Amino acid sequence: MKLYSPSEINEIRTIFGFRNSKSLGQNFLTDKNIIDRIIEGSGVGPEDLVIEIGPGIGVITREAAAVAKKVVAVEIDEDLLPVLQYTLGDLNNVEVVNQDILKTDLKALIAAQDFTGKVRVIGNLPYYITTPIIMKLLEEGIDCETITVMMQKEVADRLKAAPGKKECGAISLMVQYFAEVNEIVKVPRTVFIPQPKVDSTVLRLDVLKEKPVAVEDEEYFFKVIKAGFAQRRKTVANSLSVLGDATRAEILEALEKAGIDPVRRGETLTLEEYAKLSEALMHKG
Ligand code: SAM
């Protein structure tokens, strides 16, 4: 079954009367080489559990099932269930879960599986919720080795950007706090049905066993990072006023304690500097 072939996709759509939903980001992949790069890039092995986000008609699922111990594919669209039964029904190591990935209890889902290897997340993500999905996977602290996912090129550029680069945003630092970001392959818009208006990139996030900086309160740390990026043309001393929990004098004192020049822009600070700054702000006064 060549699920990546446009004629096969069209045939399946005709058989099941299926129409791609724009609002669910249903752009189906038609390039076998890209599928192979996702699977190989993820590092999946024969004992591993793969969690796939948004299987669509099962094009990546089938290839992943050939190398993994088991694939659990989480798909929100009920209309795809009969299609997935048709395309994957002959495989005994695939389970389709009809849920919204953002509401899925991943810890429970993983605990219910029988495998001895690692957990690897893969997927061609629905573009409209790329960053919420990635932050959920990272923040929930599931025991996962790699997250290998396709996303809009501009989002990938942001996630891998170093501090000081114009693409770097609060989300870049938040993701880099949890994972090392590696680019696997760039993907042109021409290899999808229907064709989206943007190009894509596959990234692999290698989840860090140890965090790169020690932080007492992650929630507050992220709040400080977001405040630092909130007003790009302002100095970090001015940006931090949006926190609302520190006076100007306290902000200046915390910056001094963290060894940060108050006239710098928030987007030039490193993870380490944000860690020191949030500790200083937490223990102000
Ligand atoms: N994996 C297929 C491929 O590469 O051809 C489909 C990828 S398509 C870009 C995104 C898939 O995610 C669709 O099947 C869509 O229905 C599904 N999806 C969208 N929102 C979702 C959500 N919140 N939870 C789970 N799946 C979702």
Side-chain angles (χ1 to χ4, degrees):
M1 217 176 232
K2 289 194 174 126
L3 297 174
Y4 44 84
S5 127
S7 58
E8 185 100 26
I9 295 173
N10 284 328
E11 198 182 313
I12 286 172
R13 290 199 296 198
T14 308
I15 295 173
F16 291 92
F18 179 79
R19 291 169 66 125
N20 291 58
S21 153
K22 209 172 170 181
S23 63
L24 290 177
Q26 289 174 343
N27 302 99
F28 296 158
L29 192 50
T30 64
D31 189 322
K32 173 75 162 62
N33 176 48
I34 302 294
I35 297 163
D36 291 345
R37 297 290 295 273
I38 295 172
I39 310 276
E40 283 161 27
S42 76
V44 58
E47 301 307 325
D48 292 348
L49 170 70
V50 168
I51 297 177
E52 187 191 0
I53 300 166
I57 63 167
V59 68
I60 303 174
T61 330
R62 259 200 101 78
E63 305 300 326
V67 286
K69 168 97 176 166
K70 174 144 187 211
V71 182
V72 178
V74 182
E75 173 58 60
I76 198 170
D77 188 357
E78 237 182 355
D79 290 350
L80 282 168
L81 299 184
V83 178
L84 287 165
Q85 177 55 35
Y86 173 77
T87 58
L88 306 172
D90 60 324
L91 303 174
N92 60 11
N93 65 337
V94 174
E95 179 182 338
V96 175
V97 175
N98 182 210
Q99 273 181 24
D100 177 347
I101 188 68
L102 293 177
K103 295 187 183 144
T104 303
D105 182 344
L106 288 168
K107 276 194 179 152
L109 185 146
I110 292 167
Q113 304 300 323
D114 184 19
F115 68 105
T116 53
K118 316 252 189 236
V119 177
R120 317 242 175 213
V121 175
I122 62 169
N124 170 13
L125 296 183
Y127 292 158
Y128 73 107
I129 43 169
T130 298
T131 49
I133 292 176
I134 290 178
M135 284 316 290
K136 173 190 164 82
L137 294 168
L138 295 171
E139 283 188 304
E140 279 188 4
I142 53 167
D143 188 10
C144 159
E145 195 74 7
T146 54
I147 299 169
T148 310
V149 282
M150 173 139 51
M151 64 196 76
Q152 183 177 337
K153 176 190 174 294
E154 287 72 18
V155 177
D157 289 346
R158 190 170 273 280
L159 298 192
K160 62 181 204 214
K165 299 270 180 223
K166 76 172 188 320
E167 294 85 5
C168 185
I171 188 73
S172 324
L173 292 194
M174 283 155 61
V175 167
Q176 290 163 24
Y177 170 70
F178 290 106
E180 186 189 297
V181 182
N182 295 291
E183 182 173 311
I184 301 294
V185 64
K186 290 194 165 66
V187 186
R189 65 192 72 185
T190 48
V191 303
F192 298 93
I193 290 182
Q195 191 172 308
K197 289 197 177 71
V198 292
D199 293 319
S200 295
T201 301
V202 177
L203 292 183
R204 184 186 66 227
L205 311 182
D206 293 312
V207 180
L208 297 168
K209 302 274 175 271
E210 248 176 68
K211 302 279 190 301
V213 291
V215 171
E216 220 178 290
D217 180 341
E218 275 176 10
E219 206 180 312
Y220 188 65
F221 174 54
F222 292 158
K223 206 173 147 194
V224 173
I225 294 177
K226 283 181 194 156
F229 280 87
Q231 294 154 295
R232 284 212 168 227
R233 279 180 298 278
K234 288 199 173 175
T235 63
V236 63
N238 285 341
S239 296
L240 290 176
S241 63
V242 304
L243 277 172
D245 66 353
T247 63
R248 174 137 188 108
E250 285 169 334
I251 290 170
L252 290 172
E253 197 183 313
L255 283 163
E256 193 183 349
K257 217 164 145 192
I260 299 162
D261 185 341
V263 300
R264 279 174 63 188
R265 313 265 166 212
E267 62 264 31
T268 67
L269 270 57
T270 62
L271 261 184
E272 207 154 36
E273 288 173 319
Y274 271 112
K276 283 188 192 153
L277 182 57
S278 68
E279 294 308 287
L281 282 166
M282 265 180 77
H283 299 289
K284 62 186 178 295

